[in-house]
Amino acid sequence: MSGDHGERDSQVNSGSRANDAHKHKDKHKEHRRKEHKKDKEREKAKHSNSEHREHSEKKHRDKEKERLKHSDGSVDRHREKPKEKDKEKRREEKVKSFHVEGKPKKEKENGHAREMWNSLSPPDIKSEPEEDNGLYPSPKHNKTLKRERDEEEFEYKPKKIKTENGKKAKKRKQEYEDEEEEEEDIKPKKKTKDKKSGADGKKAKETEEKWKWWEEERSTDGSKWKFLEHKGPVLAPPYEPLPGHVRFFYDGKLLRLSAPAEEVATFFAKMLDHEYTTKDMFRKNFYKDWRKEMTSEEKSKITDINKCNFTEMSEYFKAQSEARKQMSKDEKLKIKEENERILQEYGFCVMDNHKERIGNFRIEPPGLFRGRGDHPKMGMLKRRIRPEDIIINCSKDSKHPKPPQGMRWKEVRHDNKVTWLVSWTENIQGSIKYIMLNPSSRIKGEKDWQKYETARRLKKCVDRLRAQYREDWKSKEMRVRQRAVALYFIDKLALRAGNEKEEGETADTVGCCSLRVEHIKLYPKMDDQEYVVEFDFLGKDSIRYYNKMPVEKRVFKNLQLFLENKQPEDDLFDRLNTSILNKHLQELMDGLTAKVFRTYNASITLQQQLKELTSPDESIPAKILSYNRANRAVAILCNHQRAAPKTFEKSMQNLQTKIDEKQKQLSATRKQLKGAKTEHKASHDDRSKKMVEVKRKAVQRIEEQLMKLQMQATDREENKQIALGTSKLNYLDPRISVAWVKKWDVPIEKIYNKTQREKFAWAIDMAEEDYEF
DNA sequence: ACGTCCACTTAGCAATTAGCAT
DNA sequence: ATGCTAATTGCTAAGTGGACGT
């Protein structure tokens, strides 16, 4: 059956070179189809009970949702279902949920923003341009990129002095020409260097504080650093056996566990009140791995996880954490100091003469793997990492970190083509984990900056690209049409690329290229709209993406074509994958890949929304609300969701109470003002005049406070299930925000907290109020 | 023209801490 | 000081995409 649609593409006349991409895919498909069948059967068997439970759970959720007005469902989050992987079930549930929530009334912020987006984006190519131009009235144009050129030589390790140089500047400029061609401001700007000494790393402290790496030159030879020295990772503390009074019971009888078995048992015990310890898959995986740690005696005694009683352990840990909270202040202080000491010792490294903060310097401790969504490996034991599992990366001529007494590292290497300091292989997926630098570091910052420059280059040619993919919708080749439609989705809906994943190894989630037939529905007509496509699938982290969007007729027709003769579990784009797509993109623009569209669309949307929403004379809090709304539009576009905070309702209520009180206070004060006025009229003396002034001021102040509270309430309400952080941190060119802040005199702290300010120091330093993305 | 490995970015939630009201 | 909530930081899973070997 895998061959069955190979021929189909002859329809569009491409037949022959049925590239192997799709052969490969068919293999997957076949597998999936089998699974599908199996699931179906299984499903039939159990149908009644479990299905039922889910069903009502879901219903409940839907109701809740409806009540909250997020009825268009786009924000709805949809975590995996409990049961064992059961695709069929998932499918059915979706259908149901569609009926329930599909119909919605008017949407709230959410749908709203999406709609707005839908209407402003690509479809009409025409409309694009203005986006590009007119944004900021008086672009003085340029500055923004000032920094780059100029630079001094970077002296690495030893203290040499940098050679200054015009030539350098020249080089750099040309190198990045593409990226930032427009402005010329080539002339070297001030350079702040802190050349300083490499030698005494000490002094680095203050000087480094403000190192402006963005005013220095980037290296061009592909090396990521010249010198790197660090202290290695902090290992997980060894296991401490439980005190004797904490008991474990098996089948009602006391059982003393060996230390290794006990340790794994405690991992489970610590999660006892978490929902996933009730999931079959979790328990099964845990049990299987646990047995591997047992002595043979334990193995023979413990044969059924359901007879295990971990409650004393669980209670013990709860008590421990309670005790920790109750510790006296100086005990706490002591711990804090100790942590600080560790941070100072292990939390920094020296890279090319600068002391830089490390992101994660602790090795992940052992525990039970918690995958997200319906993960087939949930509950497996994540094993303890020992020095002999660890690879150290540092300069040959640095002081190498030393392994603990009597142990050795797996390897010490000196690879300056990579940025990591430490790595190890994790046992669940076999993937490699790394210790790398903090986002405020030069090495991360440069890359981040570069990412936005690439997105800005896309901005310059996006019209051309859009015109091209629209043209490609008419191609004779199936493969080209698929590519063009997929690209349209990526551009318009900000979908992720969608690499293929190994089946059965991870939760079943998809992105654009890996969408399956079952993930979309076509409606030639829906309400007053034509050619509506409904998307419903689980994306990264098993977050549900649900959206309905009218598309152009040609796209719609193409989708119908792609769907012909396919099963629900077949790939929608059977002749496409991310590598093909990216290869194509690369040809259209240097450095272009699918993810650049997300960055570009996110940033341009922010800029555009800020422009639209900010009114010059609103107060600062109102401006902040506008900013958050612009940010929110982006988060919605990118489908960044969060679980509504547990305490949401309550905190909302508290806020409302405050507002009510403030309102009362306001009317009371107003009354007083009136009284004062009357009195002043009568007496005309200074005293009463003063009183009027005082009251007038008070009224004003209270009004402001009230407004501020109201803004806060609105903001919070609108933000209930939207996470702003992800887009702010990863998709929005920080220079847009910085420019906005400068333009409207909003304190930067209102937009970026300390960590964020550190990460975006480069942008804060270089963007002026006229910066244009 | 893969498939596999590797490096690095992006992601949501949990734990911790800060900040406020009492 | 205490106790709460809100904000921040930490953690690590889950993506993307390039390089490389076959």
Side-chain angles (χ1 to χ4, degrees):
Chain A
M1 74 174 24
S2 51
D4 67 353
H5 28 275
E7 309 348 302
R8 200 165 336 99
D9 66 346
S10 52
Q11 276 173 278
V12 204
N13 201 2
S14 58
S16 51
R17 86 342 8 217
N19 50 0
D20 315 66
H22 92 282
K23 265 190 228 144
H24 164 70
K25 283 186 150 190
D26 282 349
K27 210 167 33 184
H28 274 307
K29 237 173 288 173
E30 183 161 11
H31 177 99
R32 208 179 280 124
R33 199 164 303 158
K34 269 191 213 135
E35 280 270 309
H36 189 184
K37 244 181 227 148
K38 252 189 279 171
D39 286 343
K40 216 165 207 161
E41 276 152 31
R42 215 180 306 146
E43 179 62 23
K44 235 173 252 165
K46 25 188 167 120
H47 215 261
S48 35
N49 39 308
S50 53
E51 158 68 20
H52 190 267
R53 181 167 106 224
E54 272 180 25
H55 190 163
S56 45
E57 229 170 63
K58 173 65 181 169
K59 250 211 239 83
H60 173 76
R61 258 180 287 149
D62 286 338
K63 244 195 237 136
E64 175 83 341
K65 200 172 315 154
E66 184 121 273
R67 192 165 60 69
L68 300 169
K69 307 176 330 258
H70 285 267
S71 39
D72 100 328
S74 37
V75 140
D76 181 314
R77 71 181 18 219
H78 180 101
R79 249 72 220 244
E80 80 298 336
K81 13 247 68 240
K83 328 289 91 190
E84 55 267 84
K85 70 184 316 144
D86 199 332
K87 298 181 183 171
E88 174 65 6
K89 199 164 289 170
R90 193 180 73 238
R91 233 168 258 125
E92 287 188 9
E93 198 168 276
K94 267 183 206 155
V95 173
K96 270 178 242 149
S97 69
F98 171 57
H99 289 321
V100 181
E101 71 200 20
K103 286 21 235 233
K105 40 292 256 19
K106 246 25 258 211
E107 60 289 83
K108 219 188 148 163
E109 220 342 72
N110 204 338
H112 183 331
R114 195 164 256 151
E115 213 159 69
M116 162 194 83
W117 167 255
N118 287 171
S119 67
L120 101 209
S121 206
D124 179 2
I125 295 208
K126 240 37 228 220
S127 72
E128 261 318 312
E130 106 229 4
E131 207 167 280
D132 289 352
N133 322 331
L135 278 198
Y136 276 96
S138 58
K140 300 149 144 74
H141 218 243
N142 37 329
K143 59 214 358 46
T144 88
L145 308 169
K146 36 170 70 95
R147 149 285 179 325
E148 40 241 12
R149 16 264 128 198
D150 53 320
E151 318 315 2
E152 59 204 282
E153 179 95 276
F154 217 22
E155 65 262 74
Y156 305 98
K157 168 70 155 226
K159 57 192 348 23
K160 79 199 302 183
I161 298 285
K162 60 291 310 350
T163 63
E164 192 38 6
N165 64 165
K167 89 179 357 149
K168 217 83 198 205
K170 202 173 289 167
K171 207 193 305 114
R172 197 282 217 286
K173 155 120 217 112
Q174 139 173 21
E175 205 148 29
Y176 298 116
E177 188 99 356
D178 284 330
E179 285 182 18
E180 25 236 339
E181 66 213 41
E182 40 187 40
E183 17 265 317
E184 239 19 301
D185 195 283
I186 330 171
K187 51 323 203 32
K189 317 239 69 242
K190 73 300 216 54
K191 56 193 20 256
T192 339
K193 63 247 352 356
D194 51 343
K195 58 233 15 348
K196 93 24 155 22
S197 72
D200 54 334
K202 257 72 262 219
K203 84 345 149 183
K205 203 93 162 223
E206 320 107 61
T207 327
E208 297 295 2
E209 220 64 275
K210 349 183 196 148
W211 176 36
K212 298 191 176 182
W213 53 259
W214 50 95
E215 297 183 342
E216 300 196 4
E217 178 145 0
R218 282 185 275 194
S219 109
T220 61
D221 61 357
S223 69
K224 304 287 174 62
W225 45 263
K226 299 280 191 275
F227 178 77
L228 172 62
E229 179 171 280
H230 59 91
K231 297 294 281 286
V234 173
L235 296 159
Y239 178 62
E240 286 185 33
L242 294 172
H245 69 272
V246 182
R247 298 166 301 172
F248 167 74
F249 297 93
Y250 182 74
D251 202 12
K253 292 189 285 278
L254 174 66
L255 183 58
R256 291 283 164 200
L257 297 171
S258 62
E262 182 187 271
E263 179 177 14
V264 178
T266 63
F267 297 153
F268 192 84
K270 283 176 183 166
M271 304 174 146
L272 219 48
D273 44 10
H274 204 296
E275 182 203 355
Y276 39 64
T277 55
T278 64
K279 297 186 181 176
D280 285 353
M281 185 63 61
F282 190 95
R283 297 170 72 85
K284 182 171 146 268
N285 288 334
F286 157 72
Y287 180 62
K288 181 164 168 232
D289 282 359
W290 187 28
R291 287 187 67 80
K292 294 179 193 157
E293 304 299 315
M294 294 178 186
T295 62
S296 44
E297 197 193 342
E298 285 163 343
K299 264 191 246 186
S300 64
K301 283 191 181 154
I302 302 175
T303 56
D304 179 1
I305 188 187
N306 297 314
K307 292 181 178 165
C308 294
N309 179 345
F310 301 95
T311 50
E312 275 200 19
M313 292 184 185
S314 174
E315 296 301 322
Y316 171 71
F317 292 120
K318 273 184 228 164
Q320 291 275 292
S321 82
E322 202 42 46
R324 217 168 312 127
K325 266 186 268 181
Q326 300 307 324
M327 281 185 311
S328 74
K329 169 172 339 161
D330 29 299
E331 283 173 306
K332 281 186 182 163
L333 187 64
K334 211 174 230 159
I335 294 180
K336 201 170 167 186
E337 278 167 359
E338 172 62 5
N339 285 144
E340 180 60 23
R341 193 188 61 74
I342 295 179
L343 172 66
Q344 289 306 323
E345 177 166 8
Y346 293 95
F348 297 83
C349 69
V350 178
M351 183 175 277
D352 296 340
N353 277 329
H354 297 276
K355 182 172 171 187
E356 301 245 50
R357 186 95 128 78
I358 296 172
N360 54 321
F361 51 89
R362 289 170 202 275
I363 297 283
E364 296 173 17
L368 303 183
F369 175 79
R370 310 138 94 127
R372 302 192 183 154
D374 207 351
H375 198 117
K377 299 191 170 183
M378 64 170 86
M380 284 175 62
L381 174 63
K382 198 164 91 158
R383 70 161 220 289
R384 177 180 299 273
I385 304 302
R386 305 152 303 171
E388 63 201 273
D389 301 316
I390 295 174
I391 301 174
I392 300 290
N393 191 34
C394 63
S395 289
K396 211 173 279 188
D397 59 347
S398 72
K399 211 162 107 203
H400 300 190
K402 46 178 185 310
Q405 259 290 282
M407 309 186 123
R408 24 189 358 170
W409 303 121
K410 177 177 184 182
E411 181 189 340
V412 176
R413 68 170 72 156
H414 313 291
D415 181 357
N416 75 352
K417 299 287 188 281
V418 298
T419 68
W420 52 269
L421 320 186
V422 173
S423 76
W424 70 92
T425 300
E426 156 267 349
N427 67 303
I428 304 288
Q429 322 271 359
S431 63
I432 307 173
K433 301 272 194 155
Y434 303 92
I435 288 182
M436 293 182 188
L437 299 194
N438 191 82
S440 62
S441 62
R442 178 214 108 223
I443 212 155
K444 294 291 187 189
E446 276 183 354
K447 197 87 183 294
D448 202 38
W449 179 19
Q450 187 177 253
K451 170 180 77 186
Y452 293 111
E453 291 309 317
T454 304
R456 294 173 85 205
R457 279 192 291 125
L458 171 57
K459 177 185 172 183
K460 292 182 201 152
C461 61
V462 73
D463 290 340
R464 185 186 102 223
L465 292 182
R466 285 171 177 165
Q468 151 128 205
Y469 68 61
R470 297 167 61 85
E471 208 42 46
D472 287 347
W473 291 341
K474 302 183 261 185
S475 169
K476 294 189 305 239
E477 290 188 75
M478 179 61 111
R479 149 184 98 78
V480 172
R481 288 198 190 198
Q482 291 194 354
R483 197 177 67 196
V485 171
L487 189 48
Y488 170 70
F489 286 165
I490 285 171
D491 182 20
K492 177 145 177 160
L493 301 175
L495 300 190
R496 295 188 183 82
N499 282 313
E500 39 240 280
K501 323 168 52 182
E502 209 168 335
E503 203 152 343
E505 296 294 296
T506 61
D508 178 23
T509 61
V510 299
C512 186
C513 295
S514 50
L515 280 171
R516 300 194 295 264
V517 171
E518 58 192 321
H519 297 131
I520 66 166
K521 284 207 187 93
L522 305 182
Y523 299 93
K525 198 151 255 157
M526 172 179 280
D527 303 330
D528 50 342
Q529 298 179 306
E530 290 197 308
Y531 308 123
V532 173
V533 183
E534 179 193 41
F535 294 82
D536 192 350
F537 60 89
L538 298 185
K540 183 178 181 179
D541 293 319
S542 293
I543 296 292
R544 184 186 186 193
Y545 182 92
Y546 179 83
N547 194 12
K548 279 178 292 187
M549 171 185 70
V551 299
E552 287 175 64
K553 180 169 177 187
R554 194 157 259 140
V555 170
F556 197 85
K557 295 290 175 201
N558 271 314
L559 289 169
Q560 288 177 323
L561 178 63
F562 304 160
L563 292 177
E564 263 172 37
N565 298 316
K566 286 191 195 169
Q567 302 296 308
E569 63 281 9
D570 290 338
D571 288 317
L572 171 62
F573 301 116
D574 53 291
R575 333 237 38 214
L576 184 70
N577 61 35
T578 53
S579 148
I580 293 170
L581 178 63
N582 282 333
K583 219 161 276 170
H584 175 240
L585 292 175
Q586 183 61 238
E587 281 162 16
L588 299 178
M589 183 193 106
D590 183 50
L592 185 62
T593 64
K595 82 195 262 282
V596 177
F597 281 89
R598 251 168 101 81
T599 310
Y600 160 71
N601 279 313
S603 288
I604 200 75
T605 300
L606 177 74
Q607 176 165 288
Q608 208 267 118
Q609 287 291 295
L610 281 177
K611 188 178 177 223
E612 198 166 296
L613 301 175
T614 312
S615 8
D617 30 60
E618 16 172 52
S619 63
I620 299 275
K623 290 216 172 70
I624 292 168
L625 176 59
S626 297
Y627 180 90
N628 287 339
R629 283 180 159 159
N631 191 164
R632 203 169 294 131
V634 175
I636 288 163
L637 172 67
C638 294
N639 202 227
H640 292 142
Q641 304 186 23
R642 63 167 184 175
K646 298 222 160 7
T647 56
F648 186 85
E649 293 304 334
K650 188 156 38 121
S651 83
M652 215 53 208
Q653 230 161 341
N654 290 161
L655 197 53
Q656 192 53 52
T657 312
K658 276 196 206 163
I659 290 175
D660 293 346
E661 277 166 15
K662 194 55 79 180
Q663 223 135 27
K664 268 186 218 138
Q665 195 190 340
L666 178 61
S667 52
T669 313
R670 276 191 175 135
K671 213 166 277 168
Q672 290 168 11
L673 171 60
K674 207 162 175 191
K677 276 182 180 162
T678 321
E679 196 177 317
H680 177 55
K681 229 170 239 163
S683 62
H684 270 80
D685 59 5
D686 267 6
R687 177 114 82 79
S688 63
K689 183 172 175 190
K690 214 176 249 167
M691 193 45 112
V692 170
E693 269 322 296
V694 168
K695 290 301 172 193
R696 194 190 308 269
K697 284 251 170 63
V699 167
Q700 203 181 334
R701 198 185 57 231
I702 294 168
E703 277 173 342
E704 262 166 38
Q705 290 168 340
L706 177 61
M707 220 176 44
K708 198 166 160 184
L709 286 173
Q710 281 166 337
M711 299 277 174
Q712 217 181 323
T714 312
D715 204 22
R716 196 180 296 179
E717 178 66 44
E718 290 177 353
N719 228 25
K720 183 168 182 181
Q721 327 170 249
I722 314 281
L724 301 186
T726 303
S727 50
K728 197 185 264 191
L729 232 50
N730 301 299
Y731 290 103
L732 302 176
D733 182 342
R735 291 167 295 184
I736 297 169
S737 301
V738 171
W740 180 85
V741 148
K742 289 185 177 167
K743 175 162 181 172
W744 303 109
D745 282 318
V746 175
I748 187 101
E749 300 77 28
K750 300 287 185 194
I751 301 300
Y752 290 139
N753 67 30
K754 178 152 139 323
T755 324
Q756 295 165 159
R757 291 197 299 276
E758 280 165 14
K759 168 167 181 174
F760 298 132
W762 58 275
I764 294 171
D765 185 57
M766 77 173 85
E768 305 293 340
E769 74 172 54
D770 57 4
Y771 174 78
E772 193 176 349
F773 174 75

